[in-house]
Amino acid sequence: SPGSISTLTESTEPAFRVWFEGEPPPPEERYWRGPVLHEFDGYTWSQERWRAYSPVKFEPEGQPYRYRITLEPHSQPWLFTLDLMTSEPHRGSRLTYDHQLLSFRPVTQQISYEATSHTRVRATTSLSLLGRRIDTMLPENRNPRSLALAQRMRSEAGSDAQFIQNVLQYFREGGFQYTLTPPRLNLNSVDDFLFNTRKGFCGHYASAFVTLMRAAGVPARVVTGYMGGEWNPVGEYFIIRQSDAHAWAEV
């Protein structure tokens, strides 16, 4: 619920450490995938708990990245991997339909696991009808101005791809500001953000972007996790801290 947060504190506590075999991916590709959020009530995003659709299959492109992660305990089942993991899940874990790696038990002590990922992939199957329905759902009578904006922008675009680029341009040129101390938002949080405050952090932008996509009939979801990592030259690993927590949009 990004609209409920007025101050986002940056914790330096470690989330996990990563050792790569060979060269690591460039900084702009270091997205560490965690919980995927499908459900939105106009204010709060949450995971889809009761339904699942057939996963979209991917074909890896480019080089693979092999690595080992040591994860600090966080009392949840989430395991983080470089987006997108292409190896089989290790013992004691499973890969979900939306490409989350989950432990069968909450992580209550430090654990290590290995994985292989490709930061570039190509879809080889289409999103199922159920998947399209779930990832275009929006609550009724909420954020009406945002829905009208999305529908107008989509009617002016020649394709979904062009619509996506136009929305990105809207954020770049619309007078928006990134801040860790945003104003609180009302229950129509996306309307309030897009048309009133225009100030927020990654969660605000991901929420608004996905809402605009869905309002135009383009399936989208919010992905949370971490981005980046700080190189430790002594231990030759990357440390990802809680302050690297991130949210992004996936169309």
Side-chain angles (χ1 to χ4, degrees), residues 96-146:
T96 67
Y97 70 100
D98 50 10
H99 306 285
Q100 301 177 70
L101 184 63
L102 297 179
S103 171
F104 288 128
R105 297 180 179 179
V107 181
T108 56
Q109 59 185 9
Q110 189 182 79
I111 63 170
S112 293
Y113 51 95
E114 296 181 350
T116 300
S117 296
H118 286 76
T119 57
R120 298 181 184 276
V121 296
R122 180 177 61 85
T124 57
T125 61
S126 299
L127 187 63
S128 67
L129 291 177
L130 177 59
R132 177 171 290 273
R133 187 177 68 175
I134 290 175
D135 285 343
T136 54
M137 290 180 62
L138 287 172
E140 295 182 0
N141 305 317
R142 298 292 294 275
N143 300 297
R145 296 181 68 187
S146 301

